[in-house]
C-alpha cells in the first residue's frame, strides 16, 4: 500500500513552478517535505513493481539539503 501526496514543483528559488500533481509516496514523506519526484510512467511502474497500474509520478527521495555548485545562492523568501 502506498499513500498519495499532492506535490508542487519548485524553481531554484523555492517558488511554485507549474501545476501541482499527485505522486505515489515510496519514502514516507510528510507534509511540507521537499521531495524528489520521478515523472516518467515506465520508471514509476518499475519502482513500484506494478506494471499494469497507470502511474506517472513517484516520490523517490526526501531532500535534506541543497548545495549550490555555481556559487549562486537563491534569494530566500520571507515566511
Amino acid at each position: 500500500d502506498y499513500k498519495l501526496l499532492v506535490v508542487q514543483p519548485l524553481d531554484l528559488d523555492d517558488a511554485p513552478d507549474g501545476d501541482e500533481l499527485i505522486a505515489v509516496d515510496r519514502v514516507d514523506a510528510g507534509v511540507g517535505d521537499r521531495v524528489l519526484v520521478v515523472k516518467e510512467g515506465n520508471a514509476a511502474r518499475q519502482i513500484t513493481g506494478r506494471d499494469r497500474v497507470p502511474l506517472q509520478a513517484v516520490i523517490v527521495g526526501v531532500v535534506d539539503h541543497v548545495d549550490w555548485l555555481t556559487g549562486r545562492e537563491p534569494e530566500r523568501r520571507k515566511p
Side-chain angles (χ1 to χ4, degrees):
D1 293 341
Y2 305 111
K3 69 180 171 187
L4 301 176
L5 293 178
V6 176
V7 295
Q8 171 66 61
L10 302 173
D11 65 14
L12 294 177
D13 294 318
D14 285 340
D17 185 22
D19 294 330
E20 295 173 336
L21 58 120
I22 297 173
V24 174
D25 182 13
R26 289 283 296 165
V27 296
D28 200 25
V31 174
D33 284 345
R34 187 183 300 175
V35 296
L36 181 63
V37 177
V38 171
K39 272 182 46 177
E40 197 277 319
N42 185 45
R45 287 187 293 277
Q46 288 180 17
I47 290 167
T48 60
R50 298 184 179 202
D51 294 334
R52 297 187 155 288
V53 177
L55 294 174
Q56 181 183 11
V58 176
I59 298 170
V60 295
V62 175
V63 178
D64 293 325
H65 180 76
V66 176
D67 289 320
W68 295 96
L69 297 178
T70 63
R72 176 189 175 272
E73 288 288 328
E75 294 180 21
R76 294 290 173 210
R77 293 180 293 151
K78 304 248 192 266

